[in-house]
Amino acid sequence: MVTAVLSTVAMAQALRVWGWRPGTPLGFDGDAYFVLMQVKDILHHGWYWRNSDVGAPFGQNAGWFTDASWIHYLAIRLLNLFSDSAATVSAVYFFIGFPLAALTMYWLCRSVGVGRLGSVVAGVLFSVVPGHQEGFSHLWLASYWVVPLAVWLVLRALTGVPLVAKAGDGPTRGRRQQALLNARTVAIVVVVGLGGVYYVAFTLLLLVCGLVVGALAGRSRRRTITGGVTGLAVLLVCGIALAVSRWQTRADVVTGKTPGTRVYQESDAFAGKLMDLILPWFHHRSGRLAELTLSYGRVTAATFERPAIGLVAAVGVASLLLVGLGALTSRSPRRASPLVGTLCLLTIVALAFYTRGGLGTLTALLVTPQIRTWSRLFVVVALLGLLALGLWLTHLDRTRGRPAAAAVAALALLVGVVDQTNPAFSPPYPQLRAAEGALSEFTGAMERSLPAGCAVFQLPVFPFPEQGPVSGILDYDPLGPYVVSTDLRWSYAAMRGTAEADWQLSLPPAGDPRLVDDLAAAGFCAVEIDTAGYPSPSTAPRTLREQLGPPIATTTSGRLAAYDLRPRAAELLRTAGSAAFLQRGQAVLHRLPPAPAP
């Protein structure tokens, strides 16, 4: 309870949660719109697979871009019992993720022999790893409360502690306890396997590397087999989730490069640097320390996601590396405990995969490039460093007494929270409410003018996902109207590389009179244009207004405008006849762009 309360307090001051109101999203930048789309899909359609409200008229098939984060999807479904607002549910789950991470880290510490004092400190600091407070746009990755459970599996397998208790002939109470312990292990395997592809991959890499080193060192074959079975169980759970998701795509027609296809060069570009783990967080509350990191990033190639572990965890990591180095260089080395030795090994392995040009790049080159952002291993590195801190505080408690250990623990906790969080970078709640309100007014005006279920075509055509900024439009900006709308359907967010999306690429350009007629024949009842995608001297926005008359809705800034297509559809139907009108619509929806030149 102390761990959960302290973590919640640390989170509250970092995010200034007293400024949040239900219905206010925690962000619109980065991948935040993507996350809100996923959450809304789960709330309104039961799961994140098929979404008929985006990618109109065919809908979105998310099986092409799944990461098997089913345990988080299930949590969203449970929160749906209390709210059906994507903004509210996603924010609450993000808030809950802090004490959840603290509690699973506390449990991990206690399970490997760390005292309560060290477990509390490690748990709280793990929950506020630098950057967590800005992690809403990667909500499933920010929900890293599954990582301590994964490390528990790895440590049990590598240190020889049985993962499954054998059934015995003892008293009924003993057999019941064995069954509960085995059920716990199975539950942890399932949770880890459904906790996201990245964390599954990191778990398997740590486990495999540890088993290989153990086998070379002459460890028992039984331990290797047990660890291998554990890894296969996690892989099987994750593989089933991925296979079921991909099964949803079996009927789709592939027309190009599908989402999520990686190349090995990206693994080097998205890996980290050791200096990232030594320098302060680039949003550190101390201006001088933040400037130190920013200055280094300006004169070097800055790491894409800006990982950091904080001072306290960095000291723990350094101590583990020194222990490992001492064991290798001393003529008469003191044998470290199996746990400390395993932590040293895992730290070296994690750093070897984390860094640029390291084992992550080699894995991408020789095995698969699908895991590309190796810098995300910083969460595992931070965990190992904080676990070392917990063990040291436990040793201090036993040798120097509780008062001395409590004083050091309080200092480490205070320094760590101050070092790892910065309330100045909490979500700008008033601005977010204003942005959400402006979008809601825009879509509300559209919904008052259009029938429920109306399909709105969005201009410019913007491939989904991972297109990147184009002109003044940021990646996933076109999802904004969908996120706040109630009963409209939107053309954006069909999965590129499939016929359900790529037909849009064959449409005439905006400003061409044929475009409006094609959209009307294809069944769209309105068209929305983002003028940021048509910088001057483009005449597309003016031409659309001349063709369709005054807009039925505009944002206060004038950036978005929506026009009614129904009068034009009625005119086409009257002049061309129903047969020709329907034939034109089918031709539009099934026309594919020409293949690119070789």
Side-chain angles (χ1 to χ4, degrees), residues 44-91:
H44 291 191
H45 300 103
W47 205 249
Y48 176 58
W49 276 338
R50 281 281 185 180
N51 188 347
S52 57
D53 295 331
V54 293
F58 302 107
Q60 180 193 84
N61 188 347
W64 288 110
F65 200 67
T66 182
D67 65 351
S69 299
W70 285 19
I71 199 67
H72 307 302
Y73 301 165
L74 179 60
I76 296 299
R77 288 293 296 155
L78 293 175
L79 290 173
N80 193 194
L81 298 174
F82 307 97
S83 173
D84 61 356
S85 164
T88 300
V89 169
S90 59

Side-chain angles (χ1 to χ4, degrees), residues 343-391:
L343 292 179
C344 293
L345 172 63
L346 294 180
T347 301
I348 294 171
V349 170
L351 291 175
F353 279 96
Y354 160 89
T355 192
R356 285 182 180 172
L359 295 182
T361 303
L362 186 64
T363 301
L365 184 62
L366 300 181
V367 183
T368 176
Q370 290 304 106
I371 301 298
R372 62 173 182 174
T373 313
W374 294 99
S375 64
R376 290 171 180 169
L377 266 163
F378 83 96
V379 174
V380 176
V381 176
L383 180 149
L384 296 170
L386 292 172
L387 198 51
L389 169 71
L391 290 170

Side-chain angles (χ1 to χ4, degrees), residues 279-563:
L279 291 171
W281 180 36
F282 80 111
H283 279 330
H284 200 281
R285 67 177 73 204
S286 167
R288 290 186 177 181
L289 293 178
E291 180 58 30
L292 175 66
T293 303
L294 290 172
S295 297
Y296 175 77
R298 281 194 290 265
V299 299
T300 63
T303 302
F304 180 69
E305 291 190 355
R306 303 276 193 171
I309 61 175
L311 176 62
V312 176
V315 171
V317 170
S319 68
L320 288 173
L321 295 176
L322 288 174
V323 168
L325 183 62
L328 291 173
T329 59
S330 176
R331 294 184 178 180
S332 55
R334 293 178 56 189
R335 179 176 291 275
S337 69
L339 175 61
V340 173
T342 303
L343 292 179
C344 293
L345 172 63
L346 294 180
T347 301
I348 294 171
V349 170
L351 291 175
F353 279 96
Y354 160 89
T355 192
R356 285 182 180 172
L359 295 182
T361 303
L362 186 64
T363 301
L365 184 62
L366 300 181
V367 183
T368 176
Q370 290 304 106
I371 301 298
R372 62 173 182 174
T373 313
W374 294 99
S375 64
R376 290 171 180 169
L377 266 163
F378 83 96
V379 174
V380 176
V381 176
L383 180 149
L384 296 170
L386 292 172
L387 198 51
L389 169 71
L391 290 170
W392 181 76
L393 285 174
T394 302
H395 174 73
L396 185 66
D397 190 7
R398 291 170 181 167
T399 57
R400 300 293 183 179
R402 178 57 57 87
V408 174
L411 178 63
L413 190 60
L414 178 62
V415 170
V417 171
V418 171
D419 177 57
Q420 297 175 194
T421 62
N422 187 354
F425 288 91
S426 60
Y429 299 115
Q431 293 91 321
L432 291 171
R433 277 194 290 272
E436 191 274 341
L439 273 176
S440 294
E441 289 180 8
F442 173 67
T443 58
M446 294 177 66
E447 287 167 345
R448 288 189 294 271
S449 300
L450 301 171
C454 166
V456 181
F457 192 86
Q458 296 172 271
L459 292 173
V461 173
F462 207 78
F464 173 90
E466 297 183 327
Q467 168 62 29
V470 175
S471 298
I473 304 177
L474 300 180
D475 211 358
Y476 308 126
D477 274 358
L479 284 172
Y482 160 71
V483 166
V484 300
S485 66
T486 302
D487 55 17
L488 295 176
R489 296 160 56 223
W490 306 85
S491 65
Y492 176 65
M495 293 289 176
R496 66 179 180 181
T498 67
E500 294 177 344
D502 286 355
W503 69 270
Q504 298 183 20
L505 302 177
S506 67
L507 289 168
D512 188 320
R514 295 174 300 168
L515 174 63
V516 168
D517 293 349
D518 280 353
L519 295 179
F524 290 93
C525 64
V527 59
E528 172 225 88
I529 184 169
D530 186 341
T531 57
Y534 298 95
S536 182
S538 173
T539 60
R542 186 179 73 249
T543 303
L544 198 64
R545 186 185 185 98
E546 292 172 351
Q547 289 179 289
L548 299 176
I552 57 175
T554 58
T555 55
T556 305
S557 66
R559 174 174 168 175
L560 301 181
Y563 299 86

Side-chain angles (χ1 to χ4, degrees), residues 19 47 57 60 86 97 139-140 175 182 184 190 200 205 212 266 271 281 291 300 340 358 383 401 420 460 490 525 564:
W47 205 249
Q60 180 193 84
L139 180 59
W140 317 130
R175 292 197 299 272
N182 292 337
R184 178 192 68 178
V190 172
V200 168
L205 289 172
V212 169
E266 294 175 324
W281 180 36
E291 180 58 30
T300 63
V340 173
L383 180 149
Q420 297 175 194
W490 306 85
C525 64
D564 196 340

Side-chain angles (χ1 to χ4, degrees), residues 108 112 147-161 163 188 192 199-211 223 227 230-231 234 339 342-343 345-346 349 380 384:
L108 170 64
V112 297
V147 175
L149 304 179
V151 173
W152 179 83
L153 288 174
V154 174
L155 290 177
R156 298 277 285 200
L158 297 184
T159 56
V161 180
L163 283 161
I188 290 175
V192 172
Y199 295 139
V200 168
F202 296 161
T203 302
L204 296 177
L205 289 172
L206 293 175
L207 185 58
V208 169
C209 290
L211 291 175
R223 184 183 302 184
T230 303
V234 172
L339 175 61
T342 303
L343 292 179
L345 172 63
L346 294 180
V349 170
V380 176
L384 296 170

